Amino acid sequence: MAVLPIRLIPDPVLRQKCHPVEVFDTGLERFAQDMVETMHAAPGIGLAAPQVGDLRRLVVVDLSVGDDPDQLKVFVNPVIHDPEGQDSELEGCLSIPELTEKVKRPEKLRLAYQDLSGRPQELAADGWLARAICHEVDHLDGVLFIDHLRGLRRERTRRQLKKLLKRRQEELSES
C-alpha cells in the first residue's frame, strides 16, 4: 500500500467528471487500499478518486479515521437516491486545506453502489455518513463543497481561497 499525493485546488482534475468503473480486479483493490491509506494519513473521513488524480468513480469513507475497521466503506460507481431532509454543518476538504464552511446536505439518503467485486449493493445512510457520501460523490462529478455556497458566504470563501492560493504560490516560489 502507498500514500498517494492529494490534489489541491486549483488542479483541473478536481473539476472533471469521473468515468464508471468497468474492470473489477486486483488493481482496483490495490488502488482502493492506497486511497484508504491516503485518507487515514491525511487524516480525513473521506476521499474520492479524483482527489488523487484518478478519474474512476470510486470513493472511500471512514468516519472513525481508521479507529474502527467496521466503519470503513468503499463505494464503486455510487449513485445517491431518495435524499430526505436538510441539515447545515461545517465541512472541509482535503483538496482545499485550511478552508471550512457550512454546507446544506440531505439528512438521509439511500446509496446504490458496487463493491470491489462488482456486486450491486445498497446502503441507507444518515447524519455524518450521509454528509460524507454526498461530499465525496460530488467530487466524482467535479463539484467541490464551495460550489454549494451562496451569497455572502460564497463571496467570503472566494476571497479566502484567493488568499490561500496566493500564499501557496509564494511558498512554492520561495522553495
Side-chain angles (χ1 to χ4, degrees), residues 3 18-19 24 49 54 65 95 137 152 158 163-164 171 175:
V3 174
C18 293
H19 312 288
F24 295 83
D54 191 291
V65 195
S95 292
V137 170
L152 292 175
R158 189 176 296 151
K163 287 178 186 176
L164 287 172
E171 289 169 355
S175 55

Side-chain angles (χ1 to χ4, degrees), residues 21 31 33 46 66 73 91 105-106 120 127 152 160 164 170 175:
V21 172
F31 177 61
Q33 289 172 351
K73 312 271 190 254
E91 281 188 29
R105 300 277 189 192
L152 292 175
Q160 289 175 318
L164 287 172
E170 288 170 354
S175 55

Side-chain angles (χ1 to χ4, degrees), residues 104-133:
K104 290 181 183 176
R105 300 277 189 192
E107 291 176 326
K108 298 178 181 181
L109 57 82
R110 296 195 68 73
L111 187 72
Y113 66 98
Q114 291 169 281
D115 63 20
L116 287 170
S117 299
R119 289 184 299 263
Q121 305 287 327
E122 193 165 305
L123 173 81
D126 61 11
W128 280 102
L129 180 57
R131 176 170 295 281
I133 288 169

Side-chain angles (χ1 to χ4, degrees), residues 92-104:
C93 180
L94 295 175
S95 292
I96 312 174
E98 302 178 49
L99 191 63
T100 58
E101 189 57 68
K102 281 193 171 189
V103 177
K104 290 181 183 176

